[in-house]
Amino acid sequence: EAKNSDRGSYKLFNAELSQIVSSRAQLLLDLKEAVEQKQLTVVYQPQFCVQKNIMTGVEVLVRWHHPKKGMIPPSDFIPLAEESGLICAITDFVMHQAIHELTTHELLYRDIKRVSFNVSAADFNHSESCERFIANLSSLPGDWSVIELELTESAALLNLEGIKNVLDVLRQRGVQVSLDDFGTGYSSLNTLRLLPIQEVKIDQSFVKDIIKNKQDAKLVRTILAMAQALHLRVVAEGVETHAQANYLMSAGCEEFQGYLYARPMSIEHLVTFIRNLKQQRAQP
Ligand code: C2E
Ligand code: MG
Ligand code: MG
Ligand code: MG
């Protein structure tokens, strides 16, 4: 009897597993189609220096509107894209699209001084990776220091040498480099030591409980002290409440990104958002 029920659960497991495999395979097929048929869009999330009352930059985030399943979050398809190599086509699309939208609306350089893109380890895996980034940025009407690439430590770990070679070339042309989700990987310090990095982003998991959790608060203070010693800019991610923002400010953090200030938004909303900011600033 035990054997029978074992076999039963084995069968169930098998059926579930093959369903997962086939639904992932289907999702990958859909994603390929999405890239070809322009179902992907980009949104922008502003970042702020609250003390100086200025918008310091925007992070570009990809969105996928699936024709049948609706909105699929990046966390559900970016890993799949990374494993399959499709991420390169997505990165190319995201960079082209965002630069096109921002320049069409004349926001770059004037109103937006920094545009951050998320990049993956797989974006650095090919011999022509560097040329690809250069081609993607060549439509910029001005200098490349407005561009920042956000890389995670886990990505850096996968291909440190390859990534370093590409980043060194892009750095010489002005591109900035940020270490995303800082503190959540295995070798944050080694990555900082070896790659040409100007900014770290404190991961939202540290910010979330910063008021209640003494340990998280101490870790954030330590990251801020380290960043100051190394002359790195720090952006706190996932700031949702005034209490979190006030704590971070008193600890010396200067830049913020989170729902408290602005959610990711379309280019049309960004234009309006920036216009409203300017009007507010113009008022006494
Ligand atoms: P990330 O780079 O750390 O981006 C920040 C994520 O936090 C975004 O999620 C953003 O919408 C979300 N967020 C911002 N403020 C808040 C807040 O106050 N509270 C909370 N709970 N969340 C907040 P999103 O857009 O779902 O992206 C998730 C991740 O997917 C990104 O994390 C990034 O790792 C990846 N990703 C997004 N777009 C791209 C892309 O174009 N290329 C690549 N390679 N990865 C991307
Ligand atoms: Mg990011
Ligand atoms: Mg992050
Ligand atoms: Mg992330």
Side-chain angles (χ1 to χ4, degrees):
E1 250 199 58
K3 240 187 185 170
N4 272 345
S5 75
D6 273 0
R7 208 170 290 153
S9 64
Y10 172 74
K11 253 191 203 153
L12 183 66
F13 174 70
N14 222 347
E16 277 175 358
L17 190 68
S18 71
Q19 202 169 35
I20 290 168
V21 170
S22 73
S23 71
R24 273 174 66 85
Q26 185 58 50
L27 198 65
L28 183 57
L29 284 176
D30 289 357
L31 185 56
K32 281 192 179 132
E33 212 170 272
V35 176
E36 283 158 16
Q37 301 185 351
K38 306 262 147 71
Q39 290 167 16
L40 300 181
T41 57
V42 295
V43 288
Y44 306 85
Q45 188 178 28
Q47 303 171 331
F48 300 89
C49 175
V50 179
Q51 285 98 330
K52 290 190 196 140
N53 191 24
I54 50 169
M55 185 173 118
T56 48
V58 293
E59 176 173 11
V60 182
L61 297 158
V62 70
R63 291 292 177 263
W64 179 12
H65 308 262
H66 190 285
K68 292 204 189 90
K69 294 177 187 152
M71 193 72 117
I72 301 182
S75 53
D76 284 1
F77 70 88
I78 291 292
L80 193 64
E82 289 175 340
E83 288 160 29
S84 63
L86 202 57
I87 193 70
C88 293
I90 294 179
T91 303
D92 290 348
F93 167 78
V94 168
M95 294 185 92
H96 271 124
Q97 185 66 18
I99 291 172
H100 174 73
E101 290 181 358
L102 292 168
T103 51
T104 302
H105 289 85
E106 299 184 328
L107 294 179
L108 261 188
Y109 301 104
R110 251 196 5 199
D111 296 311
I112 298 180
K113 306 264 190 288
R114 193 174 71 222
V115 183
S116 304
F117 292 98
N118 292 287
V119 291
S120 304
D123 283 310
F124 297 85
N125 273 347
H126 308 283
S127 53
E128 73 279 15
S129 295
C130 199
E131 285 70 27
R132 266 192 39 244
F133 279 117
I134 289 172
N136 288 342
L137 297 176
S138 61
S139 60
L140 276 173
D143 79 273
W144 291 11
S145 58
V146 284
I147 300 297
E148 181 174 71
L149 300 182
E150 292 190 8
L151 189 79
T152 61
E153 301 149 45
S154 34
L157 238 135
L158 287 173
N159 176 17
L160 196 57
E161 192 62 26
I163 291 175
K164 182 179 160 44
N165 290 336
V166 175
L167 289 183
D168 281 343
V169 173
L170 295 175
R171 268 304 291 151
Q172 284 182 346
R173 295 184 174 227
V175 172
Q176 304 182 57
V177 184
S178 173
L179 202 48
D180 204 349
D181 303 346
F182 188 76
T184 61
Y186 287 111
S187 64
S188 317
L189 296 184
N190 200 41
T191 309
L192 276 186
R193 188 159 66 99
L194 296 174
L195 294 183
I197 286 161
Q198 289 76 53
E199 174 190 287
V200 297
K201 297 187 80 173
I202 299 180
D203 190 64
Q204 29 184 294
S205 62
F206 292 105
V207 173
K208 197 169 184 299
D209 297 321
I210 198 166
I211 302 301
K212 281 181 295 184
N213 189 322
K214 293 244 159 49
Q215 185 78 0
D216 285 0
K218 278 183 196 163
L219 282 169
V220 167
R221 284 182 181 278
T222 307
I223 293 173
L224 286 163
M226 179 209 66
Q228 197 174 29
L230 297 174
H231 306 291
L232 297 168
R233 185 171 62 234
V234 181
V235 177
E237 285 193 289
V239 181
E240 294 184 353
T241 67
H242 285 290
Q244 289 167 341
N246 289 337
Y247 185 92
L248 284 159
M249 258 183 266
S250 72
C253 187
E254 289 182 350
E255 289 195 36
F256 300 85
Q257 178 180 351
Y259 295 167
L260 178 62
Y261 303 102
R263 288 183 178 253
M265 59 185 91
S266 68
I267 188 73
E268 289 79 18
H269 284 114
L270 185 65
V271 169
T272 314
F273 185 87
I274 289 174
R275 195 188 303 140
N276 290 341
L277 272 187
K278 283 182 176 169
Q279 277 170 5
Q280 279 170 28
R281 282 173 64 92
Q283 276 158 19

